[in-house]
Short mmCIF file of all heavy atoms in Angstrom, two decimals:
data_model
loop_
_atom_site.label_atom_id
_atom_site.label_comp_id
_atom_site.label_asym_id
_atom_site.label_seq_id
_atom_site.Cartn_x
_atom_site.Cartn_y
_atom_site.Cartn_z
N GLU A 18 4.94 0.79 -2.47
CA GLU A 18 4.12 -0.11 -1.67
C GLU A 18 4.93 -0.76 -0.55
O GLU A 18 4.45 -0.87 0.58
CB GLU A 18 3.53 -1.19 -2.57
CG GLU A 18 2.61 -0.64 -3.67
CD GLU A 18 2.18 -1.72 -4.65
OE1 GLU A 18 2.54 -2.92 -4.43
OE2 GLU A 18 1.48 -1.39 -5.62
N SER A 19 6.16 -1.18 -0.87
CA SER A 19 7.03 -1.79 0.13
C SER A 19 8.42 -1.98 -0.45
O SER A 19 8.56 -2.10 -1.67
CB SER A 19 6.47 -3.16 0.58
OG SER A 19 6.48 -4.07 -0.49
N PRO A 20 9.46 -2.01 0.39
CA PRO A 20 10.81 -2.30 -0.10
C PRO A 20 10.87 -3.73 -0.66
O PRO A 20 10.16 -4.62 -0.19
CB PRO A 20 11.68 -2.16 1.15
CG PRO A 20 10.86 -1.35 2.11
CD PRO A 20 9.43 -1.70 1.83
N MET A 21 11.72 -3.93 -1.65
CA MET A 21 11.86 -5.26 -2.26
C MET A 21 13.31 -5.47 -2.69
O MET A 21 14.02 -4.51 -2.96
CB MET A 21 10.97 -5.42 -3.50
CG MET A 21 9.50 -5.25 -3.28
SD MET A 21 8.59 -5.50 -4.83
CE MET A 21 7.05 -4.66 -4.43
N HIS A 22 13.69 -6.74 -2.79
CA HIS A 22 14.98 -7.04 -3.42
C HIS A 22 14.75 -7.26 -4.91
O HIS A 22 13.61 -7.36 -5.38
CB HIS A 22 15.70 -8.22 -2.77
CG HIS A 22 14.88 -9.47 -2.65
ND1 HIS A 22 14.57 -10.27 -3.72
CD2 HIS A 22 14.31 -10.05 -1.57
CE1 HIS A 22 13.88 -11.29 -3.33
NE2 HIS A 22 13.68 -11.19 -2.02
N GLY A 23 15.82 -7.34 -5.66
CA GLY A 23 15.72 -7.34 -7.11
C GLY A 23 14.89 -8.47 -7.68
O GLY A 23 14.09 -8.27 -8.59
N TYR A 24 15.06 -9.69 -7.12
CA TYR A 24 14.32 -10.84 -7.64
C TYR A 24 12.82 -10.64 -7.45
O TYR A 24 12.01 -10.89 -8.36
CB TYR A 24 14.77 -12.12 -6.95
CG TYR A 24 13.93 -13.33 -7.34
CD1 TYR A 24 14.14 -13.99 -8.55
CD2 TYR A 24 12.92 -13.79 -6.49
CE1 TYR A 24 13.37 -15.09 -8.91
CE2 TYR A 24 12.14 -14.88 -6.85
CZ TYR A 24 12.37 -15.52 -8.05
OH TYR A 24 11.60 -16.59 -8.41
N GLU A 25 12.43 -10.19 -6.26
CA GLU A 25 11.01 -9.98 -5.97
C GLU A 25 10.44 -8.88 -6.84
O GLU A 25 9.31 -8.97 -7.35
CB GLU A 25 10.84 -9.62 -4.49
CG GLU A 25 9.39 -9.42 -4.06
CD GLU A 25 9.28 -9.02 -2.61
OE1 GLU A 25 10.32 -8.76 -1.97
OE2 GLU A 25 8.13 -8.94 -2.12
N LEU A 26 11.23 -7.84 -7.05
CA LEU A 26 10.78 -6.72 -7.88
C LEU A 26 10.58 -7.17 -9.33
O LEU A 26 9.58 -6.83 -9.96
CB LEU A 26 11.81 -5.60 -7.81
CG LEU A 26 11.47 -4.28 -8.51
CD1 LEU A 26 10.16 -3.70 -7.99
CD2 LEU A 26 12.60 -3.28 -8.30
N ARG A 27 11.53 -7.95 -9.83
CA ARG A 27 11.39 -8.45 -11.20
C ARG A 27 10.16 -9.35 -11.33
O ARG A 27 9.43 -9.30 -12.33
CB ARG A 27 12.65 -9.22 -11.60
CG ARG A 27 12.60 -9.79 -13.02
CD ARG A 27 13.93 -10.41 -13.39
NE ARG A 27 13.91 -10.98 -14.74
CZ ARG A 27 13.65 -12.25 -15.01
NH1 ARG A 27 13.39 -13.10 -14.00
NH2 ARG A 27 13.64 -12.70 -16.24
N LYS A 28 9.91 -10.17 -10.32
CA LYS A 28 8.74 -11.05 -10.35
C LYS A 28 7.45 -10.24 -10.37
O LYS A 28 6.52 -10.56 -11.13
CB LYS A 28 8.77 -11.97 -9.12
CG LYS A 28 7.65 -12.99 -9.10
CD LYS A 28 7.79 -13.92 -7.89
CE LYS A 28 6.65 -14.93 -7.86
NZ LYS A 28 6.77 -15.82 -6.66
N ARG A 29 7.37 -9.18 -9.57
CA ARG A 29 6.18 -8.35 -9.55
C ARG A 29 5.98 -7.65 -10.89
O ARG A 29 4.85 -7.52 -11.38
CB ARG A 29 6.29 -7.29 -8.44
CG ARG A 29 6.10 -7.82 -7.04
CD ARG A 29 4.66 -8.20 -6.76
NE ARG A 29 3.73 -7.13 -7.03
CZ ARG A 29 3.46 -6.13 -6.19
NH1 ARG A 29 4.08 -6.07 -5.00
NH2 ARG A 29 2.59 -5.20 -6.51
N LEU A 30 7.06 -7.20 -11.50
CA LEU A 30 6.96 -6.55 -12.81
C LEU A 30 6.46 -7.53 -13.86
O LEU A 30 5.66 -7.18 -14.73
CB LEU A 30 8.32 -5.99 -13.22
CG LEU A 30 8.81 -4.75 -12.46
CD1 LEU A 30 10.30 -4.52 -12.72
CD2 LEU A 30 8.00 -3.52 -12.85
N ASN A 31 6.92 -8.78 -13.77
CA ASN A 31 6.53 -9.80 -14.74
C ASN A 31 5.07 -10.22 -14.58
O ASN A 31 4.34 -10.38 -15.55
CB ASN A 31 7.41 -11.05 -14.60
CG ASN A 31 8.77 -10.84 -15.25
OD1 ASN A 31 8.93 -10.00 -16.11
ND2 ASN A 31 9.74 -11.61 -14.81
N THR A 32 4.64 -10.40 -13.33
CA THR A 32 3.32 -10.97 -13.09
C THR A 32 2.22 -9.92 -13.00
O THR A 32 1.08 -10.19 -13.41
CB THR A 32 3.31 -11.79 -11.79
OG1 THR A 32 3.72 -10.95 -10.69
CG2 THR A 32 4.28 -12.97 -11.90
N SER A 33 2.53 -8.74 -12.49
CA SER A 33 1.50 -7.73 -12.28
C SER A 33 1.37 -6.77 -13.44
O SER A 33 0.28 -6.24 -13.70
CB SER A 33 1.80 -6.92 -11.00
OG SER A 33 1.87 -7.77 -9.88
N LEU A 34 2.45 -6.50 -14.15
CA LEU A 34 2.44 -5.53 -15.23
C LEU A 34 2.81 -6.25 -16.52
O LEU A 34 3.97 -6.53 -16.79
CB LEU A 34 3.42 -4.39 -14.93
CG LEU A 34 3.19 -3.68 -13.59
CD1 LEU A 34 4.26 -2.63 -13.36
CD2 LEU A 34 1.81 -3.05 -13.53
N GLY A 35 1.82 -6.55 -17.33
CA GLY A 35 2.02 -7.40 -18.50
C GLY A 35 3.04 -6.89 -19.48
O GLY A 35 3.67 -7.68 -20.19
N VAL A 36 3.24 -5.57 -19.55
CA VAL A 36 4.18 -5.03 -20.53
C VAL A 36 5.61 -5.47 -20.24
O VAL A 36 6.47 -5.43 -21.11
CB VAL A 36 4.07 -3.49 -20.55
CG1 VAL A 36 4.64 -2.87 -19.30
CG2 VAL A 36 4.74 -2.92 -21.79
N PHE A 37 5.89 -5.92 -19.01
CA PHE A 37 7.23 -6.35 -18.63
C PHE A 37 7.34 -7.87 -18.53
O PHE A 37 8.18 -8.39 -17.80
CB PHE A 37 7.63 -5.72 -17.29
CG PHE A 37 7.66 -4.22 -17.31
CD1 PHE A 37 6.75 -3.49 -16.58
CD2 PHE A 37 8.59 -3.54 -18.09
CE1 PHE A 37 6.76 -2.11 -16.60
CE2 PHE A 37 8.60 -2.16 -18.12
CZ PHE A 37 7.69 -1.44 -17.38
N ARG A 38 6.52 -8.59 -19.27
CA ARG A 38 6.54 -10.06 -19.17
C ARG A 38 7.85 -10.66 -19.65
O ARG A 38 8.23 -11.73 -19.22
CB ARG A 38 5.38 -10.64 -20.00
CG ARG A 38 4.01 -10.41 -19.36
CD ARG A 38 2.92 -11.11 -20.14
NE ARG A 38 1.60 -10.81 -19.58
CZ ARG A 38 0.64 -10.20 -20.24
NH1 ARG A 38 0.84 -9.82 -21.49
NH2 ARG A 38 -0.53 -9.96 -19.67
N ALA A 39 8.53 -9.99 -20.55
CA ALA A 39 9.75 -10.56 -21.13
C ALA A 39 10.90 -9.57 -21.05
O ALA A 39 11.38 -9.07 -22.06
CB ALA A 39 9.51 -10.98 -22.57
N PHE A 40 11.33 -9.26 -19.84
CA PHE A 40 12.52 -8.43 -19.71
C PHE A 40 13.44 -9.04 -18.66
O PHE A 40 13.01 -9.85 -17.85
CB PHE A 40 12.15 -6.98 -19.38
CG PHE A 40 12.01 -6.70 -17.92
CD1 PHE A 40 12.89 -5.86 -17.27
CD2 PHE A 40 10.97 -7.25 -17.18
CE1 PHE A 40 12.75 -5.59 -15.92
CE2 PHE A 40 10.81 -6.99 -15.84
CZ PHE A 40 11.71 -6.16 -15.21
#
Side-chain angles (χ1 to χ4, degrees):
E18 298 173 3
S19 65
M21 300 181 200
H22 53 73
Y24 174 79
E25 182 182 7
L26 186 57
R27 180 174 179 265
K28 184 177 179 181
R29 286 289 306 278
L30 288 166
N31 282 338
T32 57
S33 302
L34 305 177
V36 71
F37 299 113
R38 288 185 184 118
F40 87 113

